[in-house]
Amino acid sequence: MSLNLPPIGITVSLLLASNVFMTFAWYAHLRDLTHKPWIVAALISWGIALFEYLLQVPANRTGYTVMNLGQLKVLQEVITLSVFVPFAYFYMKEPLRLDFLWAGLCLLGAVYFIFRPHLHSILQS
């Protein structure tokens, strides 16, 4: 069975997966590799980041067929926060803070303004 997702669905799916790798590459070493030299953490993070790029590049290429660069960037930031908050809470054991909510609300405003001129055509694709 083949999923026939529209470009926006493919983009969001790939960016979600990409951001999981990105978040682990950027932050997991703070919990798991503190006893290792920084160069070891950097090389492991670099290896994880390869998988991020293998998903992120096709995501952006697909997304750019239906969105402009600004829209892709704002979408990326929304997805980043959507992945980061559960990562921080569940994996890093950080407390949930109202700052995450306020940041999310600010991003909703960014989404509205960056997608407003093209909202109807994006929802149709």
Side-chain angles (χ1 to χ4, degrees):
M1 180 171 98
S2 169
L3 292 177
N4 204 4
L5 292 174
I8 190 80
I10 293 168
T11 300
V12 168
S13 298
L14 289 172
L15 286 176
L16 276 167
S18 166
N19 267 273
V20 170
F21 285 108
M22 177 195 75
T23 302
F24 273 89
W26 283 23
Y27 303 110
H29 65 88
L30 297 173
R31 186 186 101 170
D32 300 325
L33 299 173
T34 57
H35 61 285
K36 300 283 187 188
W38 74 265
I39 190 71
V40 171
L43 291 172
I44 290 170
S45 293
W46 191 33
I48 295 168
L50 171 65
F51 295 102
E52 176 215 345
Y53 279 95
L54 291 174
L55 296 167
Q56 176 266 337
V57 169
N60 282 336
R61 286 180 172 222
T62 301
Y64 197 61
T65 65
V66 293
M67 291 180 276
N68 65 43
L69 194 59
Q71 291 168 332
L72 273 173
K73 181 59 181 167
V74 169
L75 177 63
Q76 171 66 31
E77 295 305 326
V78 169
I79 291 170
T80 297
L81 187 61
S82 300
V83 170
F84 178 78
V85 171
F87 171 85
Y89 181 72
F90 291 110
Y91 189 78
M92 297 296 289
K93 306 296 186 208
E94 294 276 330
L96 285 179
R97 297 188 322 263
L98 274 177
D99 292 342
F100 293 139
L101 174 64
W102 306 139
L105 290 173
C106 290
L107 282 174
L108 283 177
V111 167
Y112 172 76
F113 287 111
I114 201 77
F115 283 96
R116 179 180 51 170
H118 307 287
L119 194 56
H120 182 70
S121 63
I122 289 171
L123 294 174
Q124 296 297 326
S125 62

